[in-house]
Amino acid sequence: MQHSTCGQTLSFAMDTPAPGGIPASDGAPELCRNFVYRGRCGYASCCFLHDESARQQARGTPMQLPSKSLRSSGVSDETENAEAREVFTAPQRRPASIRYLFEGQSVHSNPYLKEFAGAPWLARLLEAPECARLFNVQGKRLRKELTEAFGLLHACNRALKKLAAGQTVASQGGKGVTIVDLCCGKGFGSLVLACSFPSAEVLAVDRNAHMDLSHFKACPNLRFQHLNMESSSLAADLESILGAKKSALVLLVGVHLCGMLSVHAARLFKEVVPPAALVLAPCCLDKRLPGVKLRAKRLQIDPFTYWCLKLLIEELPDCRRELLQDDDVLSERNSFILGVKAEQAQTAVT
């Protein structure tokens, strides 16, 4: 799956900053741009001002976007800049990483980052104190996490549409769906899914029960549960966790599951009663399976591609399945495996 982009660019690139200054006031020396927006400069011979009080004042001032049009579609500069200021203005209370993201060009060129910037629930998350730590990460890692989360969201919508329930789920905010995020980690994907499907029940599971998941409080339909994916009673454990809250449709998701965790997720999906769907993004190969690399080498294909095909063909034989690659996910591991099991024909029902 490849998404078309409109090649939007800004006349300056904060993602790869170069030495430069920002006018402070009349007659005053210019402020170092790197120091203002990153908190550090990194250039020993920088000739611009490094003043903390001026930095705090500059950070509280909304970014003025250039007058040049962001895309060549015939839209006027005034209209384009008005829309951009409405979506991408970064107030002082937002984490530095979010401000830095909005002031860069990637939020205009990548459709997933742009979708994140325009999400209706974003302002609520950024105002929540418990979410500050989640977003306050290094810029490249933040962009990777966000594009993976929104790539997962689009893959989930694609899987649900294959069940002929996608339109109903979208219109009802995920009503009647239980989403289980396997090996959720810190829960970027879980949070995006819970915000995008506010009527769905989102269950994030992981073997690490000591993570700081305070940001889950921002979504009442999101909860965490300890679960070991390598347990021999995995299916029974999940059924016990879901209990009475289990909806008619179960959607299993797993992003960057390493090695045999992808196999466990696929086998868990086979034991879930239909209708059900699986969205799986495999990660690194299992070192206990050296034959995967050897066979990929003989076939002269990429080992990761071979691993994805192996999972698709061998672990999901009795369902509608698909392997797609999402180039808008800023990661080398950007393949998604989709599996769908429709509800069995009710021939015995009169």
Side-chain angles (χ1 to χ4, degrees):
M1 178 177 65
Q2 296 184 357
H3 302 276
S4 62
T5 61
C6 51
Q8 301 164 347
T9 58
L10 286 174
S11 60
F12 56 90
M14 290 300 296
D15 287 338
T16 55
I22 299 175
S25 60
D26 294 340
E30 293 185 348
L31 300 175
C32 174
R33 183 174 60 191
N34 289 341
F35 181 75
V36 169
Y37 294 112
R38 305 178 67 190
R40 55 186 175 84
C41 175
Y43 293 91
S45 59
C46 181
C47 60
F48 297 101
L49 181 64
H50 302 79
D51 182 80
E52 181 63 28
S53 60
R55 172 177 177 262
Q56 295 297 332
Q57 182 179 359
R59 287 172 61 188
T61 304
M63 184 79 173
Q64 296 296 324
L65 295 182
S67 58
K68 184 178 179 181
S69 177
L70 296 180
R71 59 175 181 256
S72 56
S73 59
V75 180
S76 66
D77 294 349
E78 182 178 355
T79 303
E80 184 65 38
N81 286 330
E83 295 176 354
R85 289 190 185 97
E86 181 180 355
V87 176
F88 301 121
T89 299
Q92 187 174 3
R93 291 190 59 184
R94 295 184 179 180
S97 56
I98 294 295
R99 293 197 302 271
Y100 182 64
L101 173 67
F102 287 175
E103 290 157 5
Q105 68 174 358
S106 60
V107 76
H108 299 286
S109 60
N110 185 283
Y112 288 157
L113 296 179
K114 187 174 183 179
E115 184 177 350
F116 166 73
W121 39 262
L122 177 60
R124 173 171 57 87
L125 294 186
L126 295 180
E127 292 296 326
E130 56 269 15
C131 294
R133 186 174 180 181
L134 178 70
F135 292 117
N136 193 20
V137 296
Q138 192 265 345
K140 183 177 180 180
R141 178 183 171 189
L142 178 64
R143 294 192 295 272
K144 175 178 176 293
E145 294 277 5
L146 289 175
T147 55
E148 287 174 353
F150 276 87
L152 172 64
L153 174 62
H154 281 253
C156 289
N157 282 323
R158 187 178 180 90
L160 291 173
K161 288 180 180 179
K162 291 180 180 294
L163 285 172
Q167 299 298 330
T168 303
V169 169
S171 62
Q172 298 181 355
K175 184 178 180 180
V177 179
T178 297
I179 303 175
V180 183
D181 188 2
L182 305 172
C183 300
C184 66
K186 292 188 176 181
F188 253 104
S190 304
L191 194 64
V192 170
L193 291 175
C195 292
S196 303
F197 297 119
S199 299
E201 290 291 333
V202 181
L203 175 65
V205 299
D206 199 280
R207 66 180 301 175
N208 185 1
H210 304 288
M211 295 181 292
D212 180 12
L213 300 175
S214 56
H215 48 277
F216 279 16
K217 298 177 183 177
C219 295
N221 61 327
L222 174 60
R223 61 190 177 101
F224 173 81
Q225 182 67 44
H226 175 263
L227 181 68
N228 185 2
M229 285 286 293
E230 297 180 334
S231 172
S232 58
S233 58
L234 177 60
D237 293 342
L238 179 60
E239 185 71 23
S240 176
I241 292 172
L242 293 177
K245 291 188 176 183
K246 180 181 178 181
S247 302
L249 193 156
V250 176
L251 172 59
L252 301 180
V253 303
V255 177
H256 285 187
L257 300 191
C258 296
M260 290 299 294
L261 292 178
S262 294
V263 177
H264 295 325
R267 293 176 180 175
L268 175 63
F269 171 67
K270 289 191 289 187
E271 299 188 41
V272 175
V273 178
L278 170 70
V279 176
L280 175 63
C283 190
C284 53
L285 307 180
D286 195 325
K287 294 182 180 179
R288 293 170 292 183
L289 300 174
V292 172
K293 287 188 176 182
L294 294 176
R295 285 189 288 270
K297 185 177 181 180
R298 284 200 296 266
L299 294 173
Q300 297 183 350
I301 63 174
D302 175 63
F304 176 72
T305 302
Y306 179 84
W307 175 238
C308 292
L309 290 171
K310 179 180 173 64
L311 292 171
L312 182 76
I313 297 171
E314 296 183 4
E315 299 298 337
L316 301 174
D318 301 321
C319 67
R320 188 178 178 185
R321 54 198 174 173
E322 180 183 11
L323 174 63
L324 56 91
Q325 180 175 325
D326 192 342
D327 293 333
D328 291 322
V329 174
L330 302 180
S331 171
E332 295 180 357
R333 302 289 190 256
N334 58 356
S335 296
F336 288 91
I337 296 174
L338 275 58
V340 171
K341 294 193 299 184
E343 191 170 6
Q344 297 175 350
Q346 299 179 356
T347 54
V349 178
T350 60

